[in-house]
Amino acid sequence: QVQLVETGGGLVQAGGSLRLSCAASGSIFSVASMGWYRQSLTKSRELVAAFTSGGSTNYGDSVKGRFIISRDNAKNTVYLQMNSLKPEDTAVYYCHAVVLLYDYWGQGTQVTVSS
């Protein structure tokens, strides 16, 4: 079992920044990939940013150049630095990990960007 706990969501004005954290615990010795997805009222769940099993990063087209994913392996934590936030970034952000071919999701954290 893997547990993912997200923190750092909240309300921010357009143009502002937020940093999300996702702490992983449990059987995380063979994490294939880990990253962030989001889901809003008007869109289905979509990739925001993720580390692949090879260590490279993937970003959704709408966040490229604004969001940065990073990680602290010693803390088993992945971060999402979100800059130049737009109202359309408003969504519930979910941490996601693939461990031994199983998908794990966090409970989600709300990010609201006001115009």
Side-chain angles (χ1 to χ4, degrees), residues 75-109:
K75 296 182 179 180
N76 297 319
T77 299
V78 171
Y79 304 96
L80 184 68
Q81 179 66 43
M82 304 185 293
N83 301 318
S84 302
L85 283 161
K86 304 175 182 179
E88 50 264 45
D89 294 317
T90 295
V92 178
Y93 284 70
Y94 295 92
C95 184
H96 171 258
V98 177
V99 180
L100 296 176
L101 301 181
Y102 285 93
D103 286 286
Y104 294 92
W105 296 92
Q107 80 284 357
T109 185

